[in-house]
Every structure is written in structure tokens, then in C-alpha cells.
Amino acid sequence: MSKGYWVTTYRKTKDPAKLAAYAQLAGPAVAAAGGKFLVRGVADEVREHGLKERTVLIEFPTYEEAVAAYDSAEYKKALEALGDGVERDLRIVRGVE
């Protein structure tokens, strides 16, 4: 089984308070689902049309657990708190075995 990853790149933060509320709920939801934060912060360098915004990389034991974490009731609460506070791209991908 390959590991699963959430790869999130932020395009724009419109409401820092909503992002903070999201973080308070998302962190525990991700941890409860077996997720481990590998990267969390603003890029030090930007290349190839990237934006100097927040990037988050979370590793899960399996791809299936990564998908289940996103679909969990706990994470849905975090998404509700985030609302339209940011513009971002979140992808769930399989690790290389």
C-alpha cells in the first residue's frame, strides 16, 4: 500500500481569522486520522509561476486514509470554519512505492 499525501498550495488568504479558526480544527482532525505534517508555511523560494503563499504537505499511512481524513466529519467542521477565507488548491495523491 502506498502512503497518501495532501498537497495544498494557497493562492490567497482573504481572511486570516477564518484561516486561524480552520487551523484550530484541522490540526486535531488530521492527527486523529493518522496524518503527519511534513511542510507547513510560506515558501522560501518561488519558481515556475508559483506564488509566495502558504504550502502544506501532510503524509498519511495510506492513500485510503488520506481520502477518509478529508471526508471525515471532523475535517468537514474545519472546512466550514474556513469557508471563503482562502483560495487554495488541495490535492490528494499516492506516494511512490
Side-chain angles (χ1 to χ4, degrees):
M1 285 195 163
S2 56
K3 292 186 178 187
Y5 296 87
W6 288 8
V7 181
T8 308
T9 56
Y10 286 67
R11 293 184 188 99
K12 183 178 186 181
T13 299
K14 299 188 283 184
D15 188 333
K18 286 184 179 181
L19 179 57
Y22 162 82
Q24 291 294 315
L25 297 169
V30 166
K36 177 182 172 186
F37 287 89
L38 300 179
V39 174
R40 183 170 33 186
V42 176
D44 293 315
E45 292 193 35
V46 179
R47 309 282 172 101
E48 299 185 24
H49 305 290
L51 300 174
K52 196 166 179 94
E53 292 288 338
R54 186 171 181 76
T55 300
V56 179
L57 175 62
I58 304 171
E59 179 182 72
F60 290 87
T62 66
Y63 172 79
E64 291 76 16
E65 288 173 276
V67 171
Y70 189 86
D71 294 336
S72 71
E74 294 82 6
Y75 190 69
K76 287 184 190 303
K77 290 177 187 173
L79 287 175
E80 288 174 18
L82 181 60
D84 64 352
V86 300
E87 292 176 16
R88 66 184 191 165
D89 174 2
L90 187 150
R91 298 169 188 220
I92 302 174
V93 297
R94 292 179 191 273
V96 177
E97 291 187 38

